Amino acid sequence: MRKGIHINQLPYNNLSIIGVLMSSYFPSTIVYSDDENNPFIVEWLDVNDEDQDKYVIYKTSPELLKKFIDKKINHLELINNCIDGILIEFLDNLENYESFYVLGFDFLDKNSLPKQNSFFDSSISSDLDLIINHFSLADLELEEDDDLENLALQYDSDIIRIHFENSGQVVNHGSIDTTVLGNLLVCFNNLYQEVARDRFNGVDRNRYRNSVKKKFIFNNFKNTKVLVSEAASFAIYIKPQSSEVVISNDLTLSSKDIISDIFELFENSKNSSSLNEIKESHNKSVFRELNFFSEKVFEFGLSFDLKFFNHINFNKSSKKISLLDSEHINRNIKEIVETRQETLVYIGHFCSLNIDTGYYTFLTNLNKKIKGYISDFLFDDLNTFNFITIYKIEVTKNSFYNLNKLKNRNLYTIESCEINN
Amino acid sequence: MFKYNNEILGIQTRISDSCTSNCYPKDLIAFRWVFPDNRPDNFLPRALINHNGQELTKNRCNGWSLSMFDTEENAINELNCVYTNRPNIFKKLGTHVAKGNINPDDGLVSPINAKGHFEFFEFENSNIEVKFVTITMVCE
């Protein structure tokens, strides 16, 4: 027995064929228009035992059609979001009135419908331009349909939306590899924390170091929390632990400032000269975390966009980062390497000395341990040094400064060594 | 002269352009989606296969050509892609891949696209179906 309710005529007026959306091998998705320029779609579904072609026709909207063509929704979603939830099955052609049956999406044979991962493929579309032009889809601006405002009201908080995209390997519509998401969220949270720390502790991390009370307030601000993922995409909503905290009369921390700093960091790090200009404006731990995050994004082959919604003034801000941007950020941070040199004098004694290579460690009278190599001039005197005598040494300190590493690498070359009297 | 010459000429007149200006005679091995039982529509152009929207297809150049691929792998991959969008599509397009030789006497070959697909415009006296042998099952 056929499912649905039989009707004797289509409830649509004056349908005219516009073109074949998919595919050029066989017209399985054909677009029609009525005289009010509403789009209708006929989908071929199957052949029955009597060798009759089974189709379904439904009304859609220019917005949904554009979303489908732009791959923002898959084919199943296009069908499922038909206007008024009405689909009409028919056999062979639209003049076959006896075969019209109205039904809902849930009553369609799922085995005949596109699979979840089926998106629009322009390479096998016969009449894409015709369809776009007829419904003026190129000029159509789609409304943003994210949940930022609703979530901000629900949680009385600023909200951050992170949307990931890639070619379908690790990110699909509505799903993402667990490892990928876990890694990315942790890296993003760490970046958020370090940028927040710049504002709280200062770039040199000295401010409020000893203030237990202020640290407690900061610790209730610095993290983010995952709220929900978005249906039919891969986007996730997170909220700051607190949108705003007052540290002192002079310092209020807000998530909008942290996000603004993060957006600026992304933007400036895309370009090596801009990055050079700002490198002293943040602690190295910020660049380290930015490096980790962009490295992971690039490793997983993703592009992403961040949206921020301020729940007080309802302002939105956003930033898009392409796969190439992440590669540039990663490379630019790693390429910031500087070498600094200075001459220093220490008094102390040797702790170890390799007479073959000249490598040493030396403990100064200020209890600082330095290590490096004896210069070539002193090599012949190596076997006269001992571990008891107090020496005065002159060293050349070479510092290798990497923007994405917390500690500089320092090498001390002993240029002269004499007994300290 | 093409096998469906009147239809192709009619389209060319209407669109004031040629269907085959970028097509050339070639020697190549080609692969096509077919049914295994030597049914007549294995080598029928799209315009002659009944379907909703057939009138549209009849007015297109590629309605009167045969869809082919340059390698077996490309033919299988593309059928699997189309299957993702329409699981029953093999009932219209074919369940198997056939392999055959195309010679300059058989017709004109369009440029091959990135998916290895091309259109083949048969000449009037072409008997292309006897040159193809079914080699691989793709769908049951």
Side-chain angles (χ1 to χ4, degrees):
Chain A
M1 187 174 142
R2 270 188 82 178
K3 288 178 185 165
I5 300 168
H6 175 63
I7 56 174
N8 289 322
Q9 62 181 38
L10 283 180
Y12 312 129
N13 294 324
N14 299 325
L15 291 181
S16 56
I17 199 166
I18 304 302
V20 175
L21 191 58
M22 291 172 76
S23 71
S24 51
Y25 305 121
F26 175 80
S28 50
T29 303
I30 305 177
V31 180
Y32 288 73
S33 175
D34 66 4
D35 44 18
E36 291 172 9
N37 221 36
N38 294 305
F40 291 78
I41 296 181
V42 167
E43 307 273 9
W44 179 90
L45 296 181
D46 201 357
V47 180
N48 66 15
D49 294 336
E50 285 81 45
D51 206 28
Q52 293 170 301
D53 287 307
K54 188 160 76 173
Y55 297 89
V56 72
I57 182 170
Y58 58 96
K59 185 178 177 183
T60 187
S61 67
E63 288 78 13
L64 281 165
L65 197 50
K66 185 174 166 76
K67 281 187 182 179
F68 175 61
I69 290 169
D70 289 349
K71 298 187 194 182
K72 290 190 191 312
I73 58 173
N74 64 30
H75 206 148
L76 213 50
E77 286 165 307
L78 176 67
I79 300 171
N80 194 11
N81 282 294
C82 58
I83 304 296
D84 299 328
I86 293 173
L87 298 123
I88 301 173
E89 247 184 30
F90 65 93
L91 299 173
D92 285 337
N93 58 67
L94 283 166
E95 277 75 49
N96 191 359
Y97 310 114
E98 290 175 356
S99 70
F100 293 159
Y101 275 79
V102 179
L103 34 62
F105 179 80
D106 290 339
F107 292 95
L108 290 174
D109 175 12
K110 298 299 180 287
N111 295 324
S112 63
L113 294 177
K115 295 189 186 298
Q116 278 281 358
N117 59 341
S118 177
F119 285 81
F120 179 64
D121 182 354
S122 58
S123 71
I124 55 168
S125 178
S126 299
D127 299 317
L128 179 61
D129 288 342
L130 210 57
I131 292 164
I132 287 175
N133 289 338
H134 181 87
F135 296 103
S136 305
L137 298 182
D139 301 326
L140 195 61
E141 276 194 26
L142 294 174
E143 273 182 20
E144 291 185 32
D145 56 358
D146 54 54
D147 284 326
L148 284 167
E149 190 169 329
N150 291 337
L151 287 168
L153 289 170
Q154 182 183 342
Y155 289 93
D156 192 27
S157 166
D158 295 343
I159 301 291
I160 303 161
R161 176 183 184 265
I162 312 180
H163 172 239
F164 295 108
E165 266 186 42
N166 86 337
S167 58
Q169 305 301 316
V170 299
V171 176
N172 284 302
H173 231 62
S175 73
I176 186 171
D177 284 4
T178 306
T179 316
V180 171
L181 182 62
N183 268 288
L184 291 170
L185 287 178
V186 167
C187 287
F188 180 77
N189 192 63
N190 289 343
L191 174 63
Y192 186 91
Q193 276 190 20
E194 291 303 329
V195 172
R197 240 183 258 284
D198 263 7
R199 288 209 170 226
F200 174 66
N201 286 129
V203 175
D204 57 8
R205 296 291 193 264
N206 279 332
R207 191 169 56 209
Y208 303 134
R209 273 176 74 178
N210 300 318
S211 170
V212 170
K213 183 181 170 187
K214 288 181 171 52
K215 276 190 203 173
F216 178 80
I217 298 172
F218 177 68
N219 286 342
N220 283 313
F221 170 82
K222 69 180 183 182
N223 278 313
T224 59
K225 290 175 181 293
V226 174
L227 293 177
V228 292
S229 66
E230 194 174 85
S233 166
F234 205 78
I236 195 151
Y237 292 92
I238 61 177
K239 70 179 265 309
Q241 202 172 352
S242 301
S243 296
E244 192 173 277
V245 293
V246 177
I247 303 290
S248 67
N249 288 339
D250 304 316
L251 182 63
T252 298
L253 297 179
S254 71
S255 58
K256 84 171 165 44
D257 288 337
I258 307 305
I259 291 297
S260 171
D261 288 350
I262 289 175
F263 284 1
E264 271 188 40
L265 264 169
F266 279 127
E267 192 57 36
N268 285 319
S269 303
K270 284 196 258 181
N271 176 286
S272 58
S273 53
S274 309
L275 178 60
N276 244 315
E277 283 173 26
I278 63 151
K279 68 177 191 271
E280 307 293 342
S281 312
H282 295 281
N283 185 278
K284 283 172 75 177
S285 56
V286 167
F287 293 106
R288 185 187 63 168
E289 297 305 335
L290 178 60
N291 185 48
F292 283 155
F293 182 65
S294 57
E295 204 168 56
K296 280 293 166 197
V297 168
F298 184 70
E299 179 191 325
F300 296 134
L302 301 172
S303 60
F304 69 94
D305 59 86
L306 283 170
K307 278 188 193 168
F308 175 78
F309 186 86
N310 182 311
H311 78 297
I312 301 295
N313 59 24
F314 279 49
N315 279 348
K316 275 189 195 180
S317 56
S318 63
K319 172 66 66 185
K320 263 189 191 246
I321 299 289
S322 68
L323 181 62
L324 196 59
D325 289 337
S326 293
E327 197 265 329
H328 287 160
I329 291 171
N330 190 236
R331 188 190 61 207
N332 290 340
I333 291 174
K334 284 183 172 157
E335 281 178 358
I336 302 272
V337 177
E338 287 177 3
T339 309
R340 294 176 188 152
Q341 205 177 64
E342 54 187 319
T343 301
L344 301 161
V345 174
Y346 293 109
I347 294 172
H349 65 90
F350 287 102
C351 301
S352 69
L353 186 57
N354 186 318
I355 61 170
D356 292 322
T357 63
Y359 185 77
Y360 74 91
T361 55
F362 187 91
L363 185 66
T364 74
N365 58 359
L366 296 172
N367 229 24
K368 176 183 164 104
K369 196 173 264 189
I370 61 170
K371 48 187 138 178
Y373 290 88
I374 308 282
S375 78
D376 292 344
F377 300 121
L378 297 176
F379 222 86
D380 292 337
D381 298 332
L382 271 182
N383 54 10
T384 67
F385 298 155
N386 62 63
F387 301 117
I388 299 170
T389 306
I390 304 297
Y391 295 97
K392 179 176 164 186
I393 58 173
E394 187 178 284
V395 300
T396 303
K397 178 185 173 190
N398 287 297
S399 298
F400 300 96
Y401 167 91
N402 282 92
L403 186 59
N404 67 324
K405 291 195 163 51
L406 285 183
K407 289 188 178 172
N408 295 338
R409 195 163 60 90
N410 297 320
L411 209 58
Y412 299 83
T413 303
I414 297 180
E415 306 293 354
S416 71
C417 179
E418 59 189 35
I419 295 174
N420 187 52
N421 294 317
Chain B
M1 197 176 280
F2 296 109
K3 187 171 258 185
Y4 306 102
N5 207 58
N6 288 341
E7 290 81 2
I8 290 172
L9 285 179
I11 292 169
Q12 289 180 159
T13 304
R14 195 172 42 76
I15 65 174
S16 304
D17 198 357
S18 165
C19 287
T20 56
S21 58
N22 60 351
C23 301
Y24 296 95
K26 278 191 179 162
D27 267 305
L28 72 154
I29 309 270
F31 299 83
R32 177 167 165 82
W33 300 328
V34 295
F35 295 95
D37 47 4
N38 291 324
R39 61 178 76 174
D41 53 2
N42 270 347
F43 287 90
L44 275 186
R46 302 166 183 80
L48 294 183
I49 297 175
N50 289 332
H51 57 268
N52 186 57
Q54 193 172 5
E55 289 312 303
L56 259 184
T57 312
K58 283 180 175 174
N59 286 323
R60 298 221 154 90
C61 291
N62 71 358
W64 300 100
S65 58
L66 297 178
S67 191
M68 297 204 180
F69 291 85
D70 62 346
T71 68
E72 182 186 355
E73 186 185 359
N74 283 336
I76 292 171
N77 286 345
E78 189 63 358
L79 188 56
N80 282 327
C81 279
V82 183
Y83 168 82
T84 302
N85 181 258
R86 214 56 53 104
N88 293 321
I89 199 71
F90 65 91
K91 296 182 186 180
K92 301 302 286 190
L93 296 178
T95 54
H96 289 64
V97 171
K99 175 183 173 182
N101 287 315
I102 289 181
N103 303 125
D105 294 339
D106 294 319
L108 299 183
V109 172
S110 79
I112 301 173
N113 73 11
K115 294 185 179 190
H117 176 262
F118 63 92
E119 299 291 344
F120 175 65
F121 291 87
E122 278 189 273
F123 286 150
E124 191 178 29
N125 298 319
S126 156
N127 204 14
I128 199 76
E129 53 266 37
V130 305
K131 293 184 158 196
F132 276 74
V133 173
T134 303
I135 57 167
T136 311
M137 183 175 75
V138 183
C139 310
E140 280 192 59

